[in-house]
Amino acid sequence: MRVAANRTSMAMVAGVWHVGFALAVALTLLATGVSAQAYPTKPVRVIVPFGAGAPDTVARLIGQQLASQMSQSFVVENRPGANGVIGTDAVAKAAPDGYTVLIVSASMAVNPSIYKKLPYDVQRDLVPVTNICSTEALILGVHPSVPAQSARELIALARKPDSNLSYGSPGVGNTLHLAGELFNARAGTKMVHVPYKGAGPAITALIANEIQVMFLTPPLSLPHIKAGKLRALAYTGKRRASFLPDVPTMAEAGVPNMEIDGGWHGMFVPANTPAPIVARLAAEVKAALGVALVQERLAALGLEPIGTPPEVFKPFVEQQIKAFAEMVKLAGIQPE
């Protein structure tokens, strides 16, 4: 009888514990749901791990629209350095509450292959929210003083022992750096790479003729190309760009196997950010991309709105990490 009574007592205690645990879980979920619905209740930091450049432009455009939609400030904070590693690390180590988000270029998928040791793990410490927009391809550009009117002429010039041509990029391992190294490999040239702290400083150096060649993203380069400050020689897409119809593709220009995507700009948050908040951010960005003015401004920059949900963006990022690893190996870049 005593054993039976003890068993009954233990069962009652266990039952009470399970009910209490279930209630606690329910309250936690309810609290999360409520916070997601109310979110954001204070300004949101949008960290861009670069200076002036396409990610910064995209962040400010989307941030402004999100502020309008969500009635809260989205404050862009630039933290350039180490090809985006410094700013990305700041987000990876931030509180997972939705008040610190990262807007970054495809270079974040390159870094795992460029650096032997990163202070964070892209797939473990960050949650992909959405692929905001993408660039179809890159532009091979030169300073107007370069005596080359085509990619073939540039290659012939670069092959000369005394050419001393150099090409720039936003940093070691950046997608534009990879494009330059692939060009060297495909064309049999040895142009010297000069890394800068962001696309803005790099393109400024190109305009100033500190460097002579650069693979360019349309958002920053189109105004300078149209103003005659830079000359476009070729486009790395499968077909010519609608915004540069007179510029041949790399294949048309006589450089095969140089089809390169222009990259993407995505939003990430720290790991363990509540799923409802991740979903809310993704939905709000998708809505922002549906606004006519936002679409017009992106189109003017040569950017295509995407807005994929987290469940689609996550495997895409994983695939990109693998693809860039192969590209880094092909370009012969050694991890630092």
Side-chain angles (χ1 to χ4, degrees):
M1 293 292 292
R2 184 176 297 173
V3 172
N6 286 339
R7 285 177 178 171
T8 301
S9 177
M10 290 173 64
M12 290 177 63
V13 170
V16 170
W17 185 88
H18 283 299
V19 170
F21 178 76
L23 180 60
V25 170
L27 288 173
T28 299
L29 292 175
L30 180 61
T32 301
V34 170
S35 65
Q37 291 170 9
Y39 168 86
T41 59
K42 62 181 181 180
V44 178
R45 286 194 310 160
V46 181
I47 292 183
V48 177
F50 303 101
D56 177 71
T57 303
V58 170
R60 293 182 188 280
L61 175 59
I62 293 299
Q64 184 178 15
Q65 182 58 38
L66 290 180
S68 176
Q69 292 174 191
M70 303 176 77
S71 301
Q72 191 56 259
S73 298
F74 279 72
V75 183
V76 176
E77 181 180 325
N78 298 91
R79 290 202 185 182
N83 197 36
V85 172
I86 293 174
T88 301
D89 185 44
V91 176
K93 291 179 170 57
D97 54 9
Y99 289 97
T100 303
V101 304
L102 174 75
I103 290 185
V104 67
S105 67
S107 62
M108 78 164 301
V110 182
N111 286 337
S113 299
I114 292 297
Y115 296 98
K116 293 179 179 178
K117 187 174 179 61
L118 288 170
Y120 55 84
D121 184 298
V122 173
Q123 294 172 276
R124 182 194 65 210
D125 300 328
L126 293 163
V127 174
V129 177
T130 183
N131 186 351
I132 301 171
C133 57
S134 67
T135 306
E136 183 183 65
L138 303 173
I139 301 165
L140 171 60
V142 296
H143 186 271
S145 67
V146 174
Q149 300 297 321
S150 68
R152 282 193 181 93
E153 291 182 6
L154 176 64
I155 292 170
L157 181 64
R159 285 176 176 173
K160 293 180 179 180
D162 59 346
S163 68
N164 296 320
L165 290 180
S166 59
Y167 76 93
S169 82
V172 175
N174 189 278
T175 52
L176 305 186
H177 174 208
L178 290 184
E181 285 303 309
L182 274 180
F183 182 80
N184 269 338
R186 300 294 192 207
T189 56
K190 294 182 179 180
M191 294 186 295
V192 178
H193 175 231
V194 181
Y196 290 85
K197 292 183 178 180
I203 203 168
T204 298
L206 181 62
I207 293 171
N209 202 23
E210 291 177 14
I211 51 175
Q212 295 73 49
V213 184
M214 185 173 168
F215 277 90
L216 306 157
T217 58
L220 272 188
S221 63
L222 283 177
H224 302 300
I225 292 171
K226 293 177 179 179
K229 295 179 180 179
L230 298 175
R231 181 189 304 134
L233 298 185
Y235 188 63
T236 67
K238 294 180 180 179
R239 50 190 168 274
R240 296 190 182 195
S242 59
F243 45 82
L244 289 175
D246 296 329
V247 177
T249 64
M250 293 295 287
E252 290 174 331
V255 188
N257 301 317
M258 273 296 294
E259 287 183 4
I260 303 173
D261 291 338
W264 44 267
H265 301 88
M267 177 182 285
F268 295 77
V269 292
N272 300 317
T273 298
I277 290 179
V278 175
R280 173 82 190 279
L281 281 169
E284 293 290 348
V285 171
K286 182 69 174 177
L289 294 173
V291 176
L293 181 59
V294 173
Q295 292 179 346
E296 290 172 9
R297 292 184 64 183
L298 288 175
L301 296 169
L303 294 169
E304 178 186 359
I306 305 296
T308 48
E311 61 271 20
V312 173
F313 189 35
K314 184 177 186 293
F316 172 78
V317 172
E318 293 171 351
Q319 181 275 330
Q320 285 283 283
I321 292 172
K322 294 178 182 178
F324 279 122
E326 295 176 1
M327 193 172 174
V328 167
K329 185 177 180 179
L330 184 62
I333 299 175
Q334 297 299 316
E336 294 184 351

